[in-house]
Amino acid sequence: CVYRSPSLNKKQDIKLLKFMKSIFQEKGCLGTFCFGDFNLSQVSWLSGTILGAHENSCSNLILMQKMYLELIHDLGLSWLLTSEVTRRRLNTMSGIMSESLLDQLLLTDESLVNEFKLGPHLGKSDHVTLSTELNVSHPGKLEVNKVTKEGRRCWSKVTSEEILKWSQEIDWKFDPTKLDDMSVNDLWSMILEKLNVISDKVPLQKHTNNVDINYSSPWVNRSLKRAIRNKNRAWNVFDITPNIRNWNTALEKQQLFEECECKARVKYERKVTKDLKYNSRAFFSYLRSRNKVKDIVTSLVKPDGTRTTNDKETAECLADTFSSVFVE
């Protein structure tokens, strides 16, 4: 729980920012949430930006609120409140009621909260109350050890049609005579066993010693780094808790990352081309880097619908495809 006083000086704000960063980056946690009165009055939580009229302001108040907003984006956090009113204060001089959104709930994983609602204020406080229902029995907790030992599944490599096909091959029927004698945990274990049949068909991610974020590319900027972290976080959440909600969220973050990467690359290419007359070194350096073939073919889909498992099968699949369209 955090209370950020509007009277904090710059040194105290920086200390609070470091404290918040240490909380959300603590290792070994399935998820972290932080709530309280942040007093970020110039933040538009609908768009996650500073209000338009103050976006280019150089005042200390706006600059400090930008630092809090940048930290939230860099950590890939989500927030629950967007357009609600959490404080109502009556100006006794003018008789005008001012409404603002000063309280917020920040999360690393939206599935930590099932639902939330605003309630009446307590005592003489002009802030409303916020009650949340936490998902403390996180279903992914049962599978954390399995994911860590075997490696994470690369769900972005499969399509929804493939998943639907695999699910149709599973017998989802249960013996009704045994259901009365089974507990909820027993039923969940049976369902989980069937879901793991689908999960086991998804290819594993390559082990990269946690260096799957390549920041060395010259077009990588702050927004692209944030998109990369959001994408990886979304897929990690789906690996731990595979459900339709996390699947759709991961696909959305993947698409946003690809769009952001495309824009960043085009912007950089235009820049080096424009500066070619004055800085040819950067242009030819980038040109040489693009001429190098670094990617390899990992696996291909064979005619029977299965995927190749080694280099030999991949090569044979490519040879069959080429020979089928070759004409003397």
Side-chain angles (χ1 to χ4, degrees), residues 17-219:
L17 284 168
K18 291 182 178 179
F19 176 71
M20 289 176 57
K21 185 176 182 180
S22 65
I23 291 176
F24 286 107
Q25 290 185 335
E26 185 176 353
K27 296 182 179 180
C29 294
L30 289 175
T32 306
F33 67 93
C34 177
F35 59 93
D37 182 2
F38 293 91
N39 271 303
L40 302 178
S41 57
Q42 303 303 323
V43 173
S44 170
W45 294 105
L46 272 174
S47 58
T49 59
I50 297 294
L51 292 173
H54 306 282
E55 186 176 2
N56 299 319
S57 174
C58 296
S59 70
N60 292 333
L61 172 65
I62 302 301
L63 292 176
M64 188 52 61
Q65 295 199 24
K66 282 185 178 180
M67 291 181 63
Y68 279 91
L69 194 59
E70 288 176 359
L71 175 67
I72 292 172
H73 286 311
D74 290 342
L75 294 175
L77 303 181
S78 303
W79 53 85
L80 294 185
L81 305 177
T82 55
S83 58
E84 293 82 357
V85 175
T86 63
R87 191 192 71 169
R88 292 182 174 89
R89 175 170 292 180
L90 178 64
N91 189 324
T92 56
M93 298 294 294
S94 62
I96 299 176
M97 177 72 74
S98 62
E99 298 181 339
S100 54
L101 171 53
L102 301 180
D103 304 88
Q104 191 56 264
L105 200 158
L106 306 175
L107 314 100
T108 56
D109 181 4
E110 293 184 4
S111 64
L112 289 173
V113 175
N114 291 331
E115 62 176 346
F116 73 95
K117 60 181 179 180
L118 300 179
H121 62 83
L122 294 177
K124 297 182 179 181
S125 174
D126 53 6
H127 289 256
V128 301
T129 56
L130 173 64
S131 60
T132 60
E133 180 182 335
L134 300 179
N135 184 16
V136 292
S137 58
H138 201 288
K141 190 174 182 180
L142 301 173
E143 293 298 304
V144 170
N145 293 333
K146 180 179 179 180
V147 172
T148 304
K149 292 180 179 180
E150 297 182 359
R152 299 190 180 278
R153 300 287 174 178
C154 190
W155 290 89
S156 60
K157 296 293 185 182
V158 297
T159 63
S160 55
E161 289 78 11
E162 289 178 302
I163 297 177
L164 181 61
K165 178 183 176 182
W166 296 336
S167 62
Q168 291 174 347
E169 297 173 354
I170 298 176
D171 183 14
W172 295 98
K173 296 181 180 180
F174 295 92
D175 189 354
T177 59
K178 298 181 180 179
L179 293 179
D180 295 336
D181 300 329
M182 298 177 66
S183 64
V184 175
N185 290 333
D186 294 334
L187 287 172
W188 168 244
S189 299
M190 293 178 61
I191 297 174
L192 187 62
E193 183 179 355
K194 296 179 183 295
L195 292 176
N196 284 335
V197 174
I198 299 176
S199 179
D200 291 341
K201 295 183 179 181
V202 179
L204 291 170
Q205 289 182 352
K206 286 190 172 182
H207 182 66
T208 55
N209 294 325
N210 295 327
V211 194
D212 56 342
I213 302 178
N214 183 15
Y215 290 158
S216 61
S217 300
W219 59 81

